[in-house]
Amino acid sequence: MFDSRSARTRYRRIMRFAARHLVILWWFELVLPRFGLSRLAARGRSARLQRLARRFHVLAVDLGGLMIKVGQFMSSRLDVLPPEITKELEGLQDEVPAVPFEQLRELAERELGMPLSRAYAGVEAQPIAAASLGQAHRASLAAIDTAETGLTDAVVKIQRPGIGAIVDVDLAALRRVAQWLSHVRLVSSRVDMPALVEEFAETSLLEIDYVHEASNAERFAACFVDDARVRVPEVVWERTTRRVLTLEDVSAIKINDVAGLRAAGIDPAEVADRFAAVMFDQLFTYGFFHADPHPGNIFVTPAVRSSDAAVAPGVDWQLTFIDFGMMGEVPSATRAGLRRILIAAAARDGKGMVDGMRDLGTLLPSADASGLERAMSQAFDRFGGMGFAELREVDEREFRAFAAEFGDVIRTLPFQLPEDFLLIIRAMSLTSGVCSSLDPAFNIWNSVEPYAAQLLRQETGNVAQDAAQRAIASIRLMVRLPARLDEVVTRLEDGRLSVSVPNVERTLARLERVARRVVSAILFAGLLVGGVLLLPANPPLGTALMIVSVVPLLHAAFASVLGRRGPD
């Protein structure tokens, strides 16, 4: 039972973990570099971050709840987290020990308002899946529901008891940590942590609302209602509440079961191609996509040749999607930006990729993206068009050299990805992984290029209109230009033309503050060492020097804060 004492214990454990590792990061990433010890701080950074990620992995598995979701979320934050952390957490699976069925029975009967023996013809006590937020059991529908839906076999998904309170505790702890991080300039200059946590909270709260998940399933089904490639389980609404979800049982061959696919006469390579195409359709055509397409959530359903065939005539098999708790939505403006990026990727156009990122709002307008454009262009020149099998043949030293040259450029650019874009990255990453497991020679470019060509044809109709708009804008500029030039000349003649170079002024001010801090650091070291050396022979003087050394230490440590309060 999750009571107030359990809540306090859980909250304190999360906060202790966060506080301990934030202090470690603060010491190595802020304090040591401030005193000129950047090399010392950088020496063990990779191993230090890996240890942090491994310890969080252990904590997440032990606590369950939202902590596993946090780890999965962090593994997708390639824009703000170093690869040592994202790589270590990418394998975190949402699998936890099952809750005894009797505990779930009590919750389900309370939700449905009747005994399970009346709500269903039968429910298996052994779960087919147990996750951090709930678990699933096979069931047989009662006769009245079978008559209404035409279904017999179902899957009942029941929330874990007390999960709502656990989620509240976890979100409270995450919000507190986000507030801490918002006061650290190194973090706040790169990412709005409170906003990031709120995005995660919104997604998580929707994920424990099974009515919302059922609505997602029906909306997803409506997108593919005329598409025989895709199948979606039917929702049994009479047996669905916010904490109990009943769906048609659509269990079939798992998409990554290569042996099972071949035994059913299905070519895994064909499955990979069709799966990639269906995911692209979700992203670029419908703007509503499955954000968690891992192998446990996708089946391949072979054709059933009978009067009530499960698969449409002329189709040998279907892709069957389940678990619609994590879905992404792509607004029309974002979809247009993604189309531009896709077309640029197919054309191996590095500048076009960066322009597309600007259109999406992920790269701030003030960012100097020349380094990113160069990195993209060189990446396309060297690795563009390669499949995963070919990439594995590339010398690892070449990858390392490329990462060393451009990794810092990319990581230091001011950009932050919105939640939906992160879900897109997650979906595409999982899609690529599944397709590569089905076909080692799978090349994502083979799926991208035809789709990009189709999008390009669709965009062609707008080219003339766009050209006309550009021409009109140019004419307007030409009309306004003489008046503007006349104004500039008049100001120049009157001596009223001034030029401001705020960036240079700010840079000089920062250099001056850095110089002062260096002098303070030297004074601190000199006074401290002198005090230590004099302490045995002259304790009063040695002690006095050590105490006085605190003054330049404080100046060196907090000069940047004091400087920001004054004018630049």
Side-chain angles (χ1 to χ4, degrees), residues 401-483:
F402 180 83
E405 185 175 358
F406 295 108
D408 290 339
V409 171
I410 295 171
R411 280 194 293 273
T412 55
L413 283 172
F415 71 96
Q416 179 178 339
L417 302 179
E419 169 72 2
D420 277 327
F421 204 83
L422 289 171
L423 293 178
I424 291 170
I425 293 174
R426 174 182 173 81
M428 287 295 95
S429 175
L430 289 170
T431 299
S432 296
V434 169
C435 291
S436 298
S437 70
L438 290 168
D439 179 10
F442 176 79
N443 189 335
I444 192 70
W445 298 104
N446 293 337
S447 297
V448 168
E449 288 177 337
Y451 207 94
Q454 175 187 341
L455 291 175
L456 193 57
R457 286 192 297 271
Q458 293 172 358
E459 297 291 331
T460 302
N462 298 324
V463 171
Q465 182 181 354
D466 182 63
Q469 291 174 347
R470 288 174 183 268
I472 292 171
S474 298
I475 291 171
R476 288 174 177 169
L477 177 62
M478 291 172 66
V479 170
R480 293 196 302 267
L481 189 58

Side-chain angles (χ1 to χ4, degrees), residues 367-381:
D368 180 8
S370 57
L372 181 59
E373 288 179 11
R374 190 167 65 255
M376 292 285 188
S377 298
Q378 292 198 14
F380 281 134
D381 290 343

Side-chain angles (χ1 to χ4, degrees), residues 269-280:
E270 186 181 346
V271 174
D273 291 337
R274 186 179 297 183
F275 177 50
V278 166
M279 291 302 298
F280 277 125

Side-chain angles (χ1 to χ4, degrees), residues 254-271:
K254 276 193 174 183
I255 192 170
N256 64 340
D257 184 358
V258 174
L261 292 172
R262 288 181 175 146
I266 300 172
D267 182 3
E270 186 181 346
V271 174

Side-chain angles (χ1 to χ4, degrees), residues 289-316:
F289 63 95
H290 199 299
D292 197 21
H294 64 74
N297 285 340
I298 304 153
F299 296 112
V300 175
T301 304
V304 178
R305 301 307 179 195
S306 64
S307 58
D308 58 341
V311 177
V315 178
D316 292 330

Side-chain angles (χ1 to χ4, degrees), residues 235 260 357:
V235 179
M357 292 172 66

